[in-house]
Amino acid sequence: MNATPLSSGLHHLELWTRDLAVSEPAWHWLMTTLGWRAERVEGWELGRIWRHGDGCYIVLEQSEGVLGDRAERRAPGMNHLALRARDRELLDRVRREGPGHGWRELFAEHYPHAGGEDHTAWYAEDPHGIEVELVTGP
């Protein structure tokens, strides 16, 4: 018998940026390429939202509260955000087109297995150093 899960997964994730005008184009391209839908909140010029088909969403917000100019994934806190890519073809496309949209590939010499031989993924960081891992497969 299957028990009802205690939660349904991610509700939302909020990322802060020093400069929305710099980081938003990279995130918009990536999220819409992955099939997330962009939403605008009228009157909220310093934030953007992308919603997944399951209802969860990611927020990118420019905030006066940001410390420093770049994210530091090795500091306490979030190391990176891992998202799913539909298949290897999409992963390769994102890798190919990502630099033209503000993404800097990480661990390029080990693509697509920088996370191990049984793990197919692409790693990159946005213009402010927030790392994303795109995973295909289980």
Side-chain angles (χ1 to χ4, degrees), residues 5-122:
L6 297 177
S7 71
S8 61
L10 181 68
H11 183 272
H12 76 275
L13 176 69
E14 187 167 328
L15 303 170
W16 277 11
T17 183
R18 167 73 59 202
D19 187 341
L20 188 65
V22 171
S23 55
E24 189 269 342
W27 281 96
H28 182 76
W29 172 81
L30 180 66
M31 300 309 289
T32 57
T33 297
L34 294 175
W36 293 57
R37 183 175 34 90
E39 293 181 5
R40 293 294 296 253
V41 176
E42 192 160 334
W44 187 40
E45 296 308 314
L46 296 179
R48 300 293 182 268
I49 297 172
W50 294 273
R51 189 173 301 273
H52 188 269
D54 69 4
C56 75
Y57 60 96
I58 292 178
V59 175
L60 182 65
E61 180 179 9
Q62 179 176 317
S63 173
E64 299 272 335
V66 170
L67 301 175
D69 294 324
R70 293 185 52 78
E72 175 49 70
R73 67 181 186 273
R74 295 167 295 183
M78 187 178 77
N79 176 270
H80 68 277
L81 172 63
L83 299 168
R84 293 189 182 276
R86 175 186 61 236
D87 53 30
R88 174 67 189 269
E89 181 180 340
L90 179 57
L91 198 68
D92 290 341
R93 176 181 158 213
V94 169
R95 181 183 194 222
R96 195 172 51 251
E97 297 175 8
H101 294 278
W103 292 93
R104 185 179 73 82
E105 185 173 8
L106 302 171
F107 322 118
E109 65 279 6
H110 300 292
Y111 179 80
H113 300 295
E117 281 304 311
D118 294 332
H119 186 72
T120 304
W122 176 75

